[in-house]
Amino acid sequence: MFTCVSSSYAQNKTTKLISLNDQWKFSKDQSVGQTPSPNLNWQNLSIPHTWNVQDIMDDEPGYYRGTGWYKRKLKFNGPVKDKEVFLVFNGVNQEAEIYVNGKLAGSHIGGYTRFTIPVSRFLNYQDDEVQVKVTNRFNEDIAPLTADFTFFGGIYRNVNLLVTDPVHFSENDHGNTSGVYVTTPEVSNETASVKVKSLLENSSAAASKIQVQTELIDADGKVIATQSNILTIPAKQSVVISQDFKSVQKPRLWSPEDPYLYKVISKIIAGKSKNVLDQVSNPLGFRWFKFDAEKGFFLNGKSLKLMGASRHQDYKDMGNAVPDALQLRDVELLKKMGGNFLRVSHYPQDPQILEACDRLGILTSVEIPVINTITESAAFTENCKNMQVEMIRQSFNHPSVVIWAYMNEILLRPKFTDDKNRQATYFKHIVQLAQTLDSLTRKEDPSRYTMIANHGAFDSYHKIGLTKIPMIVGWNLYSGWYSGNIDDFGKFLDHHHKELADKPMLVTEYGADADPRIHSFAPFRFDKSQEYAVKFNQIYLNDILKKPFVSGAMVWNLADFNSETREETMPHVNNKGLLTLGREPKDIYFLYQAYLLNRPFLKIASAAWKNRTGIADSASLFSTQPLQVTTNLKTAELFLNGKSLGLKDAVDHVCTWNVPFSNGLNKLKVTAGQNSDELDVDFTLQPFNFTDENIPVKEMNILLGSKRFYTDETEHQIWMPDQPYKKGSWGYIGGEAFKGTNNRMSYGSDKNILETDHDPVYQTQQVGIKQFRFDVPDGEYELTFHFAELIGGLTKEALAYNLDNNYQKEEVKQRIFSVEINGETFLENLNLAADYGYTTAVKKKTRVTVQGGKGIILDFRPVTGVPVLNALQLRKIY
C-alpha cells in the first residue's frame, strides 16, 4: 500500500533542477581508454539520443554494440560554489563513466534505471566540461544477456543538473532523487494512515539545526495534515527521520475509475533564517489491494479484472530515444483502449510512464531485465540485486505499482542441454538467484507482490521450484502461435489452477503478429494478417474474462517494437502490437476497445484499409468481400452508399457483413442507436472475365502462392492473392505454394528478403509453375516479374522466442529455368541463387504487344530443377 510519483523539486532559492538535454557533442569511439580518441568526428545533437536508429533496420546482420562519447560544456548563471551540484541521468544504456574536467566523477552499470553523480568537487565554475563514456557492448555480467528486443546504446533519456543547498534531502539513494519514501500502512473507506520517511544530508563543515516540515495536501490544494520536527544534523552526516500521520478521515480512494492523488510536500527549513533549504513533492494515493488464487484481484475491496498490455519503449525512426510527449501518449492510448494495467516490460522505463499511470489510473508491474538466461557469477548476481533495489527505490512511491518482478522466460533457452548434470547445477543457480531477488524485494517493500513471468513450459518451471518462489506466477502463453493449438490456452489456465490452487496467476504475455499491411479473408496461423490476430485475441480474451481465478492479462504488446534479430514480413520488428511502431491503431486495438470500454463503442475494424481491390463476382459489377465492425453493442446496421446491408448481431464483439464493393468510391457507415462510424473505401474492381467491357483491365498486382492481400503504401499498390487459371480470365497452371522449412511455418517463408522493403511480395511463391495466362484483349501491356530464391543462404539458429521452431535441414537444389512470353524467350537459364544470391529480391520488367486475341501466355521451362514465381504485375498501357 505504497504511493508516490517521481519527485518534483521546488525552484526556490536553493534547489534547482535544470535540463541538460541540449548542446551535446557525440562520436562513436572503439577505444577503451578514459579519454576520447584524438581526431574523432564529433556531431552536435540533443538528448535523448541513441546511435542505433539506422543500423538496426538495415539488412546487415547485427548492430553497433560498442562505445560512444558524449561531451558538453557547463556554464553556471549564478553563484553555486557554496551549493551541491549533481548530474542526474534518467537512462544510459548500458555502462556509463562520467568525467568532469577529465576526472572520473562516477560510473553506473545497467541501462534502465536513473543514477545521480555528485560533481561539486570536480568543478572550476569557469570552463567546466562533462564527458560521458557509454557502451552497450555485450557483458556477461550484466542483464539482459539475450532478448527479443534491441539493446539500443546511448544517453537515451533526459539529463538534468540538480543544484541544492549543502543541507538537503538525499539525492542518491540508489537513484531515488527525492530522499523521501511514503507508505500507507492502513487504508479503508473510513480512515487511513501515512508514514513519511525522509533521508537528510548535511554536506557542509558545520552542524546544522533545521526543521523538517511535511504537509499532506488534497487535489484542491487544501492542507489536510502537517507535521514538523526540529533536529540538528552533524557536519558531513546523514540522518533519517519518520513522520506518522495517524488518521486521515474519509480518504478519497485511488482507482482506475477515480485516480485521485494527494500530494506530500516535504521541506527542510533553516533553524535561524527560516529559509526553505530544500523542498520535494510526492503524490499520495490511498488504496489497498490483494491477489486471490481463487477469485482474482481486488482493489479497495472490490473485484477488478486487470486487463491491459505490456510496453516496450522504442518508437519508429527514434529507437529508444523517445521525446516526453510520445511516451506519455502511450499510456494515454492504453487508457483510451479501456486498459487498467500496464506491464512495464522488460525493464524499468522512463519515470514519466509511472507518473502517467498514477495520474490516469493504470495499475502496473515493473521488472528488471533478467531474461532467457543468466550468468552463474557473483558479479551477475550483484548487478541484478542492484538493479532490483534501484527499481524499487526509484519507483517506490507510485500508487500505480502493485507488483515487482525480476525474471522473464528464464528457461526458454536453457544452457547445457547436452550435459544434464551440469544443467541441473545451472537450474539450481537460477533458483538461487530467484530466491535471492524475491527475498530482497520482500524486505525492500513488504506491501507489494513479487512475480516471475514464465513461458508455457509448466512442468519445467514447476519441477525446479520456480513456481513456488514468487507470490504471483505470470505465464507468457502463445498456444496457436509459436506452439500448440489455440484451444490449448484455456486448458493451460485450468491446469495451473488445478496444480497451483493456492498461487495467484496472471497471463503476462499472449499475442499474434499482425503486419498492418496484410489482410486475409481466409486467415490462419502465421499469415501475419490482421484478421487472424482478431480471431486469436477473441479466443484468448473470452477465456481470460470468464475464469475468475485469472487475476488479469497483459497482451503482448501495446505497440510493435524493434527486434533486430527478427526477419519475417517486416524485418527487425515484432508485429504483435495493438498499435504500429508509429502508434497507429490496428484492427486488434479496436477489438480491445470493444471488449474493455464501459461506454458504447462502434468502429469499422479495418479503418486504415482504405484502398482495396478484388475480382468481380461472376458477371456483376461488384466484388463481395467481408467487412468487420468491432463493438460492445448487441447489434449494428451497415450502410453502403446510403443503402442498408442489414442488421447483424455481434459475435465476440464483432459484426461481419459481406459487402458488394463497386469500382471507385464506396461510402460505408455503420450505426447502432446513437453511435456511428464511417469509412470511405477506394476500390479497384478487377474483371472476372476479360471479355467484360464494363470492367476494363488497368493494373493487377498478384502474389503467387498466397492467400493474403498486401498494401504497398509507398507506391500506392494493392497486391492480391493468386488463383488457378480460368478460361477468359487469368491465373497459374501447375505447381504448388511454397511451404517453409521449419515445422511452425505453414505459410511461405519468414526470411528477410534483401534489397526490398516489401518482403511479403517475395516471401510466397508458386513452386514448379508451368504457365501463367492473362486472356487480356489486344493492346500494349507492361509485365513485371518478381523472383526470390527462398531456400539456401546463411543457416541461422532458431531464435529463442520461436518455441516450436524445429528447422528442417534445407535441401538446396540447383534451380535453373527459362521464361517465355507468347513463345518468345524473355529470360533464359535464369539461376536466382547464382545470379543474384539467396533471399534477394529480383525484379524483371518488359512490354508485351497483344494481337489477334491471343492474350498473354507465360511459359516457365525447367532446365535444372523446377521454376518458381513469387509475384507478377500486369499494367495496361494503351
Side-chain angles (χ1 to χ4, degrees), residues 4-12 15-18 90 114 160 162-164 169-171 176-180 182 217 262-268 276 278-284 351 355 358 394 397-398:
C4 197
V5 152
S6 66
S7 303
S8 60
Y9 295 84
Q11 297 290 341
N12 51 46
T15 303
K16 290 181 172 61
L17 188 68
I18 305 164
N90 280 295
R114 180 172 54 234
N160 294 309
L162 178 61
V163 181
T164 73
F169 292 104
S170 175
E171 311 298 348
N176 180 342
T177 55
S178 82
V180 173
V182 181
I217 301 174
Y262 295 80
K263 287 190 294 185
V264 177
I265 303 294
S266 304
K267 299 177 183 178
I268 300 175
V276 176
D278 199 3
Q279 176 176 320
V280 295
S281 174
N282 289 287
L284 167 66
E355 291 175 5
D358 292 340
Q394 291 174 29
N397 292 334
H398 291 281

Side-chain angles (χ1 to χ4, degrees), residues 286-316:
F286 290 111
R287 81 285 184 275
W288 76 94
F289 59 89
K290 73 170 183 177
F291 286 87
D292 184 275
E294 185 68 30
K295 299 179 180 179
F297 179 75
F298 291 81
L299 179 67
N300 301 330
K302 299 177 181 178
S303 177
L304 177 67
K305 183 77 80 169
L306 299 174
M307 298 299 298
S310 302
R311 176 191 186 260
H312 272 298
Q313 62 187 358
D314 56 310
Y315 201 96
K316 183 180 180 182

Side-chain angles (χ1 to χ4, degrees), residues 367-401:
E367 63 198 55
I368 61 169
V370 184
I371 305 170
N372 294 355
T373 186
I374 70 165
T375 299
E376 299 163 279
S377 69
F380 185 86
T381 296
E382 286 305 307
N383 284 330
C384 290
K385 289 166 61 180
N386 189 60
M387 288 180 189
Q388 191 77 358
V389 173
E390 285 184 334
M391 174 183 71
I392 293 170
R393 296 195 187 180
Q394 291 174 29
S395 304
F396 186 88
N397 292 334
H398 291 281
S400 57
V401 177

Side-chain angles (χ1 to χ4, degrees), residues 59 61 567 751 754 791-797 807 810 838-839:
D59 281 334
E567 299 190 343
K751 294 181 179 180
L754 306 179
I791 298 179
L794 294 176
T795 301
K796 297 183 179 181
E797 180 185 3
Y807 276 82
E810 290 188 336
Y838 296 102
T839 61

